[in-house]
Short mmCIF file of all heavy atoms in Angstrom, two decimals:
data_model
loop_
_atom_site.label_atom_id
_atom_site.label_comp_id
_atom_site.label_asym_id
_atom_site.label_seq_id
_atom_site.Cartn_x
_atom_site.Cartn_y
_atom_site.Cartn_z
N TRP A 19 0.77 -1.23 0.03
CA TRP A 19 0.02 -0.01 0.01
C TRP A 19 0.87 1.27 0.02
O TRP A 19 0.46 2.25 -0.64
CB TRP A 19 -0.95 0.02 1.18
CG TRP A 19 -0.29 0.22 2.50
CD1 TRP A 19 0.17 -0.78 3.34
CD2 TRP A 19 0.02 1.43 3.18
NE1 TRP A 19 0.70 -0.25 4.45
CE2 TRP A 19 0.63 1.13 4.40
CE3 TRP A 19 -0.21 2.80 2.84
CZ2 TRP A 19 1.04 2.11 5.30
CZ3 TRP A 19 0.18 3.75 3.73
CH2 TRP A 19 0.79 3.44 4.93
N LEU A 20 1.95 1.32 0.70
CA LEU A 20 2.70 2.57 0.82
C LEU A 20 3.27 3.09 -0.49
O LEU A 20 3.05 4.24 -0.89
CB LEU A 20 3.81 2.42 1.88
CG LEU A 20 4.64 3.72 2.15
CD1 LEU A 20 3.68 4.87 2.65
CD2 LEU A 20 5.73 3.45 3.16
N PRO A 21 3.98 2.25 -1.30
CA PRO A 21 4.42 2.81 -2.60
C PRO A 21 3.32 3.11 -3.56
O PRO A 21 3.42 4.00 -4.34
CB PRO A 21 5.41 1.72 -3.09
CG PRO A 21 5.01 0.47 -2.38
CD PRO A 21 4.49 0.94 -1.03
N VAL A 22 2.23 2.35 -3.44
CA VAL A 22 1.07 2.63 -4.36
C VAL A 22 0.48 3.94 -3.94
O VAL A 22 0.14 4.74 -4.84
CB VAL A 22 0.04 1.48 -4.25
CG1 VAL A 22 -1.24 1.81 -5.03
CG2 VAL A 22 0.63 0.20 -4.81
N TRP A 23 0.33 4.20 -2.65
CA TRP A 23 -0.24 5.48 -2.22
C TRP A 23 0.62 6.69 -2.67
O TRP A 23 0.12 7.63 -3.30
CB TRP A 23 -0.39 5.48 -0.70
CG TRP A 23 -0.93 6.78 -0.12
CD1 TRP A 23 -2.02 7.47 -0.55
CD2 TRP A 23 -0.41 7.50 0.96
NE1 TRP A 23 -2.20 8.58 0.24
CE2 TRP A 23 -1.22 8.60 1.16
CE3 TRP A 23 0.68 7.28 1.79
CZ2 TRP A 23 -1.00 9.57 2.14
CZ3 TRP A 23 0.92 8.24 2.79
CH2 TRP A 23 0.09 9.36 2.96
N ILE A 24 1.92 6.59 -2.44
CA ILE A 24 2.84 7.65 -2.84
C ILE A 24 2.81 7.79 -4.38
O ILE A 24 2.75 8.93 -4.86
CB ILE A 24 4.26 7.38 -2.33
CG1 ILE A 24 4.27 7.46 -0.77
CG2 ILE A 24 5.21 8.40 -2.90
CD1 ILE A 24 5.55 6.93 -0.16
N GLY A 25 2.95 6.71 -5.07
CA GLY A 25 3.07 6.76 -6.55
C GLY A 25 1.83 7.21 -7.19
O GLY A 25 1.85 8.00 -8.16
N SER A 26 0.65 6.77 -6.69
CA SER A 26 -0.63 7.22 -7.30
C SER A 26 -0.84 8.68 -7.08
O SER A 26 -1.31 9.42 -8.02
CB SER A 26 -1.80 6.41 -6.76
OG SER A 26 -2.00 6.58 -5.36
N THR A 27 -0.44 9.20 -5.92
CA THR A 27 -0.61 10.64 -5.64
C THR A 27 0.35 11.42 -6.54
O THR A 27 -0.07 12.43 -7.16
CB THR A 27 -0.28 10.92 -4.17
OG1 THR A 27 -1.21 10.18 -3.36
CG2 THR A 27 -0.46 12.42 -3.83
N LEU A 28 1.58 10.99 -6.69
CA LEU A 28 2.56 11.67 -7.59
C LEU A 28 2.11 11.67 -9.02
O LEU A 28 2.22 12.67 -9.75
CB LEU A 28 3.95 11.02 -7.47
CG LEU A 28 4.70 11.22 -6.12
CD1 LEU A 28 5.97 10.42 -6.12
CD2 LEU A 28 4.96 12.71 -5.88
N GLY A 29 1.58 10.53 -9.48
CA GLY A 29 1.14 10.40 -10.89
C GLY A 29 -0.03 11.33 -11.18
O GLY A 29 -0.13 11.95 -12.21
N MET A 30 -0.95 11.42 -10.22
CA MET A 30 -2.10 12.29 -10.36
C MET A 30 -1.73 13.76 -10.38
O MET A 30 -2.17 14.53 -11.27
CB MET A 30 -3.08 12.05 -9.20
CG MET A 30 -4.35 12.86 -9.22
SD MET A 30 -5.49 11.99 -10.26
CE MET A 30 -7.00 12.72 -9.71
N VAL A 31 -0.86 14.14 -9.44
CA VAL A 31 -0.41 15.53 -9.43
C VAL A 31 0.36 15.90 -10.67
O VAL A 31 0.19 17.02 -11.25
CB VAL A 31 0.39 15.83 -8.15
CG1 VAL A 31 0.99 17.17 -8.12
CG2 VAL A 31 -0.53 15.67 -6.90
N ALA A 32 1.19 14.99 -11.16
CA ALA A 32 1.96 15.30 -12.39
C ALA A 32 1.04 15.49 -13.59
O ALA A 32 1.23 16.42 -14.39
CB ALA A 32 2.94 14.16 -12.64
N ALA A 33 0.04 14.64 -13.69
CA ALA A 33 -0.90 14.74 -14.85
C ALA A 33 -1.70 16.03 -14.74
O ALA A 33 -1.94 16.77 -15.74
CB ALA A 33 -1.80 13.57 -14.93
N ASP A 34 -2.16 16.38 -13.51
CA ASP A 34 -2.96 17.58 -13.38
C ASP A 34 -2.15 18.87 -13.44
O ASP A 34 -2.67 19.94 -13.74
CB ASP A 34 -3.73 17.53 -12.05
CG ASP A 34 -4.88 16.49 -12.11
OD1 ASP A 34 -5.39 16.25 -13.23
OD2 ASP A 34 -5.27 15.99 -11.11
N ALA A 35 -0.83 18.76 -13.12
CA ALA A 35 0.03 19.91 -13.25
C ALA A 35 0.09 20.42 -14.68
O ALA A 35 0.14 21.64 -14.95
CB ALA A 35 1.44 19.61 -12.70
N ILE A 36 0.04 19.48 -15.65
CA ILE A 36 -0.01 19.85 -17.03
C ILE A 36 -1.25 20.69 -17.28
O ILE A 36 -1.22 21.73 -17.94
CB ILE A 36 -0.04 18.60 -17.93
CG1 ILE A 36 1.35 17.88 -17.79
CG2 ILE A 36 -0.28 18.91 -19.39
CD1 ILE A 36 1.37 16.44 -18.39
N ALA A 37 -2.43 20.23 -16.80
CA ALA A 37 -3.68 21.00 -16.97
C ALA A 37 -3.68 22.33 -16.27
O ALA A 37 -4.19 23.32 -16.73
CB ALA A 37 -4.85 20.14 -16.47
N ILE A 38 -3.01 22.39 -15.13
CA ILE A 38 -2.96 23.67 -14.38
C ILE A 38 -2.13 24.70 -15.11
O ILE A 38 -2.55 25.85 -15.23
CB ILE A 38 -2.32 23.40 -12.94
CG1 ILE A 38 -3.30 22.59 -12.09
CG2 ILE A 38 -1.92 24.67 -12.25
CD1 ILE A 38 -2.67 22.01 -10.85
N VAL A 39 -1.08 24.25 -15.70
CA VAL A 39 -0.17 25.21 -16.53
C VAL A 39 -1.04 25.73 -17.69
O VAL A 39 -1.06 26.96 -17.96
CB VAL A 39 1.09 24.53 -16.96
CG1 VAL A 39 1.80 25.36 -18.00
CG2 VAL A 39 1.98 24.27 -15.76
N LEU A 40 -1.71 24.84 -18.40
CA LEU A 40 -2.53 25.26 -19.52
C LEU A 40 -3.66 26.20 -19.04
O LEU A 40 -3.95 27.21 -19.72
CB LEU A 40 -3.13 24.02 -20.20
CG LEU A 40 -2.16 23.19 -21.06
CD1 LEU A 40 -2.88 21.93 -21.57
CD2 LEU A 40 -1.58 23.98 -22.19
N GLY A 41 -4.29 25.85 -17.95
CA GLY A 41 -5.38 26.70 -17.41
C GLY A 41 -4.86 28.06 -17.03
O GLY A 41 -5.54 29.09 -17.30
N ALA A 42 -3.72 28.10 -16.43
CA ALA A 42 -3.14 29.40 -15.98
C ALA A 42 -2.78 30.29 -17.19
O ALA A 42 -3.04 31.48 -17.22
CB ALA A 42 -1.91 29.18 -15.13
N VAL A 43 -2.24 29.69 -18.28
CA VAL A 43 -1.90 30.42 -19.45
C VAL A 43 -3.14 30.87 -20.23
O VAL A 43 -3.27 32.03 -20.56
CB VAL A 43 -1.01 29.56 -20.36
CG1 VAL A 43 -0.82 30.22 -21.76
CG2 VAL A 43 0.35 29.31 -19.72
N LEU A 44 -4.13 29.96 -20.41
CA LEU A 44 -5.35 30.33 -21.16
C LEU A 44 -6.21 31.24 -20.34
O LEU A 44 -6.92 32.10 -20.89
CB LEU A 44 -6.09 29.07 -21.48
CG LEU A 44 -5.44 28.09 -22.53
CD1 LEU A 44 -6.31 26.84 -22.68
CD2 LEU A 44 -5.27 28.83 -23.85
N GLY A 45 -6.22 31.11 -19.02
CA GLY A 45 -7.11 31.92 -18.19
C GLY A 45 -6.81 33.40 -18.30
O GLY A 45 -7.72 34.21 -18.07
N LYS A 46 -5.61 33.77 -18.53
CA LYS A 46 -5.31 35.23 -18.62
C LYS A 46 -5.86 35.79 -19.95
O LYS A 46 -5.95 37.01 -20.09
CB LYS A 46 -3.78 35.35 -18.60
CG LYS A 46 -3.16 35.04 -17.26
CD LYS A 46 -1.65 35.16 -17.34
CE LYS A 46 -0.93 34.92 -16.06
NZ LYS A 46 -1.40 34.03 -15.10
N LYS A 47 -6.30 34.95 -20.86
CA LYS A 47 -6.80 35.43 -22.16
C LYS A 47 -8.28 35.29 -22.30
O LYS A 47 -8.89 35.67 -23.25
CB LYS A 47 -6.07 34.69 -23.27
CG LYS A 47 -4.58 34.95 -23.35
CD LYS A 47 -3.97 34.13 -24.40
CE LYS A 47 -2.55 34.26 -24.69
NZ LYS A 47 -1.56 34.58 -23.83
N LEU A 48 -8.92 34.65 -21.29
CA LEU A 48 -10.34 34.39 -21.37
C LEU A 48 -11.13 35.29 -20.44
O LEU A 48 -10.68 35.58 -19.32
CB LEU A 48 -10.64 32.94 -20.96
CG LEU A 48 -10.11 31.83 -21.85
CD1 LEU A 48 -10.34 30.48 -21.25
CD2 LEU A 48 -10.74 31.88 -23.25
N PRO A 49 -12.32 35.78 -20.87
CA PRO A 49 -13.11 36.64 -19.99
C PRO A 49 -13.72 35.73 -18.79
O PRO A 49 -13.97 34.57 -19.00
CB PRO A 49 -14.22 37.18 -20.90
CG PRO A 49 -14.22 36.29 -22.08
CD PRO A 49 -12.88 35.66 -22.18
N GLU A 50 -13.98 36.42 -17.70
CA GLU A 50 -14.45 35.67 -16.51
C GLU A 50 -15.79 34.95 -16.82
O GLU A 50 -15.96 33.84 -16.35
CB GLU A 50 -14.65 36.62 -15.35
CG GLU A 50 -15.05 35.94 -14.04
CD GLU A 50 -15.13 36.91 -12.91
OE1 GLU A 50 -14.42 37.94 -12.93
OE2 GLU A 50 -15.87 36.56 -12.00
N ARG A 51 -16.66 35.57 -17.57
CA ARG A 51 -17.97 34.96 -17.89
C ARG A 51 -17.75 33.66 -18.68
O ARG A 51 -18.38 32.68 -18.41
CB ARG A 51 -18.82 35.90 -18.66
CG ARG A 51 -20.20 35.35 -19.04
CD ARG A 51 -21.07 36.46 -19.66
NE ARG A 51 -22.20 35.99 -20.34
CZ ARG A 51 -23.33 35.50 -19.77
NH1 ARG A 51 -23.36 35.46 -18.44
NH2 ARG A 51 -24.32 35.06 -20.44
N ALA A 52 -16.81 33.68 -19.67
CA ALA A 52 -16.55 32.47 -20.41
C ALA A 52 -15.98 31.39 -19.55
O ALA A 52 -16.33 30.20 -19.69
CB ALA A 52 -15.58 32.82 -21.54
N ILE A 53 -15.13 31.72 -18.61
CA ILE A 53 -14.53 30.77 -17.67
C ILE A 53 -15.66 30.12 -16.81
O ILE A 53 -15.73 28.93 -16.64
CB ILE A 53 -13.47 31.39 -16.83
CG1 ILE A 53 -12.29 31.82 -17.68
CG2 ILE A 53 -13.02 30.45 -15.72
CD1 ILE A 53 -11.29 32.74 -17.03
N ARG A 54 -16.54 30.99 -16.32
CA ARG A 54 -17.62 30.52 -15.42
C ARG A 54 -18.55 29.58 -16.17
O ARG A 54 -18.92 28.53 -15.70
CB ARG A 54 -18.38 31.74 -14.89
CG ARG A 54 -19.42 31.35 -13.84
CD ARG A 54 -19.96 32.48 -13.04
NE ARG A 54 -20.16 33.68 -13.78
CZ ARG A 54 -21.36 34.18 -14.12
NH1 ARG A 54 -22.44 33.50 -13.76
NH2 ARG A 54 -21.46 35.30 -14.77
#
């Protein structure tokens, strides 16, 4: 369980970090209403 817990958390955060970077870049160019 321990390496699976650590590894699954790291894998999830790594995949979502990609989306976070894209969201942060695109968010500066999108109006708040469109985002909502």
Side-chain angles (χ1 to χ4, degrees):
W19 71 271
L20 184 59
V22 171
W23 178 49
I24 295 168
S26 64
T27 301
L28 291 174
M30 182 84 159
V31 172
D34 288 333
I36 294 168
I38 291 166
V39 169
L40 288 175
V43 169
L44 293 176
K46 292 176 177 30
K47 296 177 178 27
L48 295 175
E50 186 177 334
R51 180 171 165 76
I53 293 168
R54 187 165 40 105

